[in-house]
């Protein structure tokens, strides 16, 4: 039995690394954004029983190259880089660190919004270029505006709490969230995504990337939004039709966007967003804080050892639990 945990990407927080060592295991790291073939090589060479998934895709081919693999634990909550059905078919639970980075990502969402609405970056650039642009400048308050939360998970709720402190009214759409998620925060529940779009002066995206949500914010959806609205995305870049967003900002229909994610990461050097000053961009680091890194890393590692040691894991942390149950039940159904 190998005593190795494979981490696809950078070092874990020291507290998480210590937890690995305390269990008598060692970590091996792949290069950042390694492709599936490289990850497969590392799994074969190390015989790792668990993966902390940070960067790079874990598909069926990766799993087939590692029959010893028993658990995949996401360093965060977004699992679009993991084939969770393939994992379930092979009896591999996929864990997420629910809520561990919520505060950090929420703070970043608010920072992106304020940077856009207050035009921080172009004003800063103007001063550095020797321009004093106060004459004729007209800023914009966001207090009294309506923020639409697409998704009502832990990050959305943390974002909503901060937005309320800035005087924003909250509405939300999430067909899977209980009423309590809305009621506890005073969020008006919308019956459809279209209803959310029509009322949102600020649209903040907090839903997973799935076949159903890919490019959900397309030209038609953007056209439903109020003129002068902002878009903030700290979830997944694939939620947005990027050319449609750029066109809406250039036409003036949208006032700007704050984006921590891209459809393809890292983006190409000539990505058209780079030439648009009304779009504020960061390299998918909303949850990359020392505090969140410690919480997420420890949660990810602890989940691996819970699985390896046969200990219970909170059901909501096993993102493919229903798929696992279906895969386990399938042979019985076939026998009947």
């Amino acid at each position: 039995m190998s005593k190795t945990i494979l981490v696809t990407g950078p070092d874990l927080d020291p507290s998480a690394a210590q937890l690995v060592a305390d269990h008598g295991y060692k970590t091996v790291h792949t290069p950042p954004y390694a492709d599936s073939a490289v990850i497969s090589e590392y799994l074969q060479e190390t015989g790792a029983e668990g993966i902390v998934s940070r960067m790079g895709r874990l598909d069926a081919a990766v799993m087939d190259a590692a029959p010893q693999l028993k658990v995949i634990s996401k360093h965060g909550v977004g699992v679009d880089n993991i084939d969770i059905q393939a994992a379930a078919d092979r009896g591999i639970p996929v864990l997420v660190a629910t809520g561990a980075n919520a505060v950090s990502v929420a703070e970043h969402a608010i920072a992106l919004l304020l940077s856009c609405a207050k035009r921080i970056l172009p004003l800063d650039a103007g001063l550095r270029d020797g321009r004093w642009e106060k004459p004729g400048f007209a800023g914009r308050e966001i207090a009294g505006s309506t923020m639409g939360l697409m998704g009502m998970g832990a990050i959305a709720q943390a974002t909503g709490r901060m937005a309320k402190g800035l005087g924003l009214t909250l509405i939300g759409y999430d067909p899977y969230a209980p009423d309590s998620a809305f009621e506890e925060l005073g969020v008006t529940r919308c019956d459809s995504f279209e209803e959310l779009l029509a009322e949102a002066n600020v649209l903040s995206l907090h839903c997973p990337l799935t076949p159903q949500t890919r490019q959900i914010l397309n030209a038609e959806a953007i056209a439903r939004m109020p003129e002068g609205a902002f878009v903030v995305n700290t979830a997944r870049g694939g939620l947005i039709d990027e050319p449609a967003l750029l066109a809406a900002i250039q036409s003036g229909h949208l006032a700007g966007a704050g984006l921590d994610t891209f459809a393809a990461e890292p983006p190409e050097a000539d990505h058209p967003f780079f030439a648009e000053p009304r779009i504020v961009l960061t390299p998918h680091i909303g949850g990359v804080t020392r505090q969140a890194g410690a919480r997420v890393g420890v949660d990810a590692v602890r989940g691996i050892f819970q699985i390896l040691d046969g200990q219970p894991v909170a059901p909501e942390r096993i993102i493919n639990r229903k798929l696992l149950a279906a895969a386990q039940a399938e042979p019985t159904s076939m026998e009947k």
Side-chain angles (χ1 to χ4, degrees):
M1 181 178 69
S2 172
K3 304 283 281 187
T4 303
I5 303 298
L6 184 68
V7 182
T8 59
D11 289 345
L12 299 173
D13 182 84
S15 58
Q18 185 61 53
L19 186 58
V20 174
D22 290 345
H23 281 78
Y25 279 66
K26 65 177 181 179
T27 55
V28 174
H29 296 260
T30 71
Y33 297 105
D35 61 26
S36 298
V38 171
I39 295 172
S40 294
E41 290 176 8
Y42 272 80
L43 282 169
Q44 292 175 50
E45 291 171 2
T46 64
E49 298 176 279
I51 297 177
V52 176
S53 173
R54 302 199 68 175
M55 301 169 179
R57 179 159 180 79
L58 303 180
D59 54 23
V62 170
M63 299 173 206
D64 286 340
Q68 80 284 354
L69 184 62
K70 296 182 176 65
V71 55
I72 298 169
S73 192
K74 177 68 179 182
H75 195 274
V77 294
V79 294
D80 51 290
N81 66 315
I82 304 171
D83 188 334
I84 60 173
Q85 179 64 66
D89 292 342
R90 291 155 181 79
I92 302 171
V94 178
L95 312 183
V96 293
T98 305
N101 64 356
V103 170
S104 290
V105 179
E107 288 179 348
H108 198 72
I110 297 299
L112 288 171
L113 170 59
L114 290 174
S115 295
C116 289
K118 301 300 183 181
R119 297 180 59 194
I120 299 298
L121 297 187
L123 289 169
D124 176 87
L127 274 173
R128 294 174 190 273
D129 287 343
R131 300 191 302 274
W132 184 258
E133 297 176 297
K134 184 174 181 179
F137 178 80
R140 175 171 171 178
E141 288 186 352
I142 62 169
S145 298
T146 297
M147 173 178 276
L149 299 168
M150 176 55 177
M152 282 298 297
I155 295 172
Q157 292 176 46
T159 302
R161 282 191 290 272
M162 295 176 193
K164 285 187 72 174
L166 295 173
L168 280 82
T169 300
L170 302 179
I171 60 175
Y173 174 66
D174 188 333
Y176 305 106
D179 287 339
S180 59
F182 296 82
E183 294 165 356
E184 291 172 5
L185 197 57
V187 180
T188 300
R189 184 166 200 161
C190 295
D191 293 328
S192 66
F193 182 49
E194 290 73 20
E195 181 183 348
L196 182 81
L197 292 168
E199 301 296 328
N201 306 117
V202 178
L203 177 65
S204 193
L205 300 175
H206 300 285
C207 56
L209 179 62
T210 67
Q212 292 72 36
T213 62
R214 184 173 295 278
Q215 294 196 352
I216 191 170
L217 191 65
N218 53 26
E220 180 181 356
I222 292 170
R224 296 176 181 271
M225 297 180 65
E227 187 172 345
F230 295 96
V231 171
V232 176
N233 187 12
T234 52
R236 288 294 184 268
L239 298 171
I240 295 175
D241 180 336
E242 292 184 339
L245 178 69
L246 182 62
I249 292 172
Q250 291 176 335
S251 73
H253 180 67
L254 293 180
L259 308 176
D260 188 43
T261 60
F262 294 80
E265 295 183 351
E268 297 293 334
D270 60 349
H271 195 292
F273 283 173
F274 295 149
E276 176 48 69
R278 288 167 290 188
I279 302 178
V280 178
L281 301 165
T282 53
H284 206 156
I285 46 75
V288 185
T289 64
R290 182 180 59 81
Q291 295 88 342
R295 291 191 297 267
V296 172
V298 168
D299 279 5
V301 169
R302 182 182 293 123
I304 285 177
F305 289 118
Q306 286 174 318
I307 295 295
L308 295 181
D309 296 341
Q311 298 175 356
V313 178
E316 63 271 14
R317 289 199 58 197
I318 306 174
I319 201 70
N320 63 342
R321 62 187 183 278
K322 293 181 179 178
L323 297 175
L324 280 166
Q328 292 168 358
E330 188 173 344
T332 304
S333 300
M334 290 175 63
E335 289 173 6
K336 292 180 180 179

